[in-house]
Amino acid sequence: MTARRITALAAALLLTTAMGALPAASQTTGQAAPAGATTAQAGPAALVADRVFITPERTLVAEGNVEAFQGETRLRAKKIVFDDTSGKLTITGPIRIDHGGDATILADFAELDRTLQDGLLTGARMVFNQQLQIASLQMTRVGGRYSQMYKTAVTSCHVCSDGRPPLWQIRARKITHDEAERQLYFEDAQFLVYDVPILYLPGMRLPDPTLERATGFLIPSVRSTSTLGTGIKVPYFFRLGDHADLTLTPYYSNSTSTMEYRYRQAFRAGRVTFEGAHTRDDLIEGEDRGYLFGNGHFELGRGYMLDFDIQTVSDDAYLVDYGHEDLDRLKSELAFSRYKMRSAFRTRLIYYDSLREDDDDSEQPSIVMDSSLERRFFPSRIGGELRANVDFHAHHRTSDEDVVGRDVTRATADLNWRQNWILSRGLRLDWQTGFAADTFSIDGDSNYPDRIDRATPYTAVKLSLPMTRVEAGGAATQFLEPVVQLAWSDVHGGDVPVDESTIVEFDQGNLLSLSRFPASDQREDGLVLAYGVNWARYGSNGWTASASFGQVVRQTADSGFSETSGLSGTTSDVLAAAQLRLGNRLSLTGRTLLGGGFDIGKAELRGSWTGENTRLEGTYLWLSEDEDEDRDESLSEIWFNGGYDITPNWSASASVRYDIASGQTTRSGLGVVYQNECVTLDFRVNRRYTSSSSIEPTTDFGFSISLSGFSVDKGSEKYKRSCS
């Protein structure tokens, strides 16, 4: 036999051995092998050894730093002997078989048969994802599918060579690894913490870390509240094929029996998610409680999209009682839309359900329909851009009472033409003009006729002068843009009820708008002058600063603007806004409205800081009292969230919401997390101080323990402990 044939035969044997010993889940295809099949990989092979020879007894021997390669698979051993007569393959260790970092087999000695379906490995250890390791006295390969390990220890903790026990481990008399199903079956298992037995299980099944989705239990958690007592949540995950799953989470305590659920499914052109709960508890005895939230998105072809959101709850206090998202209003929506370069279409059907104690749902616009279609044209003869927009809105109240049960339907058509020119010295001129027509159908309000028609011609001219300056040495670039706009509109028609534009916000986004009302049920009337200045500085060292100032002056005051909107009277408040950023570390954003005597009607400040070990976020809000906005008292609040990494393993977080006007804390929270390479301990406590007729002040404790390794997520090296 020639040397070339010897090398080829040795390479084939070694690589087939490697593929037979590795878990099927670690193959490049990611698919499980059928029962009894021998795994194999195509592709060129390579063998490296100090010596390769054949004895007179027709025994192939490769010895001295033996390494074999094929694709991502690599086998290393001290010596390999193949007896062609008996068909026995003997591998002398230390043996190491790697495949792309997903799975590694270590052993001292191995004997396999000719078919490589059966064999024995001693001193074997299997490592998944360089994290979870299974050590055994011996490993038996059966049928090319099962690896049976005896007298085993399983852990994802760092194991020291000085004999100290890991933080946790699972010891079992026998573990069977099913490569096709990618499951680990334990027999006579014990869970130990620092070598102290905590739990005994005669039988247990866990997915191996290469399986992304498997039916079984998820991480349990303990929740304790002042209203429901101490309870435990034990989620169970059902894999319903490759594109759907269901999670059921029983929640038991002395005061509640709750079944939480979540269903998810992905389609070829969409997805849906539903989550909710069904509850019987002592808080409202004899009644079923619960909630249902859902959302979905579908692409229907030709650019059309269908979206839906569902939010419903049994009673106003349920979400707060069970620690879910704290909402004061639920919104269910069905939307159909298509957006293209020159057109936009969207229609929505919305249902609102208020959870506020003072709101009467029958007197709120609970059913709302919005539909809009906008198209853009670029006429070559006159130039510029022509926009045509059609808008439809309707809302319905369930009350039949006069005035408070008012229903309104509005249809709007708007035709707008705009053009811009660049004049000398960089001066930019923008001009737009148009015509809007509205028709209103009003039912259930004797103060208004059944139908009101309205027509509004309008035009606006804007001048701006963008300027740029580069500082000496290129340290920063500054931008400055003064801007002034003169706008005119003339509203013809009667007054209509204000149901859509109930709250007006004056900010940078609508300083130069023709109408600063949020919807078309109200329009500004008369001659209006708006002016302002924008400034920004972009530093080469990552610092960014910007500021904007603006004011609006009108010929006649508009009664549609409230006192705190900043737009009442003939001269508006001065709008001032600024932002400061330092890369991804620091961000400060502020906005305020300054009155004639520099009194503040509204103010908002947001900031965040991300340091090496620190994370801080905060918000301050000030709103003065305004009856038009249903605010009898001034509102002054501050929110704060922060986190600090005490050590590489310990981190803490805190949050607080404080009502400055009343001098009371409304919410607070504290969390502590310990995390290393093999375990995560999470403890959190939250307190809600506010109360109402349906909600009591509550304290919520949460605790969970997560063992790393039995998932597709790999542990982070920064949590690895040292044996020194």
Side-chain angles (χ1 to χ4, degrees), residues 109-164:
F109 181 81
E111 287 186 353
L112 299 173
D113 67 356
R114 180 189 297 272
T115 64
L116 303 173
Q117 301 300 302
D118 301 297
L120 176 69
L121 294 87
T122 60
R125 179 182 299 174
M126 184 179 292
V127 182
F128 294 97
N129 292 338
Q130 300 181 5
Q131 184 179 14
L132 182 70
Q133 54 181 309
I134 305 175
S136 64
L137 185 63
Q138 72 176 34
M139 176 191 297
T140 303
R141 293 279 301 168
V142 180
R145 170 175 175 175
Y146 301 100
S147 296
Q148 297 177 344
M149 293 161 278
Y150 300 90
K151 295 185 178 181
T152 61
V154 181
T155 185
S156 59
C157 299
H158 189 56
V159 180
C160 299
S161 59
D162 57 9
R164 282 183 291 170

Side-chain angles (χ1 to χ4, degrees), residues 268-284:
R268 185 180 299 274
R271 54 165 179 77
V272 295
T273 300
F274 295 95
E275 63 178 45
H278 179 267
T279 295
R280 299 281 288 190
D281 59 27
D282 296 341
L283 301 182
I284 304 180

Side-chain angles (χ1 to χ4, degrees), residues 414-477:
D414 193 334
L415 189 64
N416 176 283
W417 176 82
R418 56 189 66 193
Q419 177 65 290
N420 64 80
W421 299 267
I422 304 298
L423 308 179
S424 62
R425 299 183 181 273
L427 185 66
R428 174 174 171 140
L429 171 64
D430 291 81
W431 178 36
Q432 63 172 310
T433 186
F435 180 84
D438 308 289
T439 181
F440 296 83
S441 176
I442 304 171
D443 181 42
D445 193 336
S446 58
N447 296 321
Y448 296 93
D450 294 341
R451 176 174 174 176
I452 298 176
D453 296 323
R454 197 172 59 185
T456 307
Y458 58 85
T459 188
V461 176
K462 182 182 75 173
L463 287 173
S464 59
L465 183 60
M467 294 175 284
T468 303
R469 182 175 75 90
V470 179
E471 297 182 4
T477 302

